[in-house]
Amino acid sequence: QVQLVESGGGSVQAGGSLRLSCTASEYTRSSYCMGWFRQAPGKEREGVAAIGRAGSTAYADSVKGRFTISKENAKNTLYLQMNSLKPEDTAMYYCAADPRCLSSAGWYIRSGSFEVWGQGTLVTVSS
């Protein structure tokens, strides 16, 4: 089974930027659905961004216009470019993948129905 390793987390001031990377242990075909989720202390996990069937993308309302998800199949890597970061973006960020690619990006954000999950990378945004 493919394994996912996230990197790129860290501490940044509000208004700053970070780019998260998620590298897969084996080839992730362009047909894979992938996404980013986050979980802040004391809160439930929430979907942030996803790439679904036919390459569709979707974002949580809270990050639209600030975050961009992209995938580089040749490098087996998924990215999350995060700009204009806010303190409320502070969380552990998790990468996820689903070779079945069952549905749209929006569905994956709502359902979180990915088969494979990474260990997470911590993002801390200070005011």
Side-chain angles (χ1 to χ4, degrees):
Q1 188 180 37
V2 64
Q3 293 181 327
L4 306 173
V5 178
E6 301 96 334
S7 61
S11 297
V12 64
Q13 289 192 326
S17 298
L18 284 174
R19 188 177 78 157
L20 304 184
S21 299
C22 170
T23 302
S25 60
E26 60 186 57
Y27 177 57
T28 51
R29 297 182 180 87
S30 59
S31 59
Y32 277 39
C33 288
M34 299 189 75
W36 290 96
F37 283 70
R38 67 186 181 186
Q39 187 166 20
K43 294 188 176 181
E44 292 187 354
R45 185 187 68 189
E46 64 170 342
V48 175
I51 297 177
R53 190 174 271 185
S56 61
T57 58
Y59 298 88
D61 288 343
S62 59
V63 307
K64 278 181 183 175
R66 301 188 298 123
F67 291 10
T68 303
I69 188 171
S70 62
K71 190 169 165 222
E72 192 169 357
N73 293 323
K75 293 186 177 181
N76 300 335
T77 301
L78 180 75
Y79 301 100
L80 184 69
Q81 178 66 44
M82 305 186 296
N83 298 328
S84 302
L85 283 161
K86 304 175 181 180
E88 51 263 44
D89 295 318
T90 295
M92 186 71 80
Y93 283 72
Y94 299 92
C95 171
D98 188 358
R100 304 168 299 172
C101 206
L102 299 174
S103 189
S104 67
W107 180 81
Y108 273 102
I109 284 183
R110 292 188 298 272
S111 69
S113 297
F114 287 99
E115 281 198 328
V116 184
W117 293 82
Q119 295 298 307
T121 186
L122 182 63
V123 172
T124 303
V125 184
S126 58
S127 57

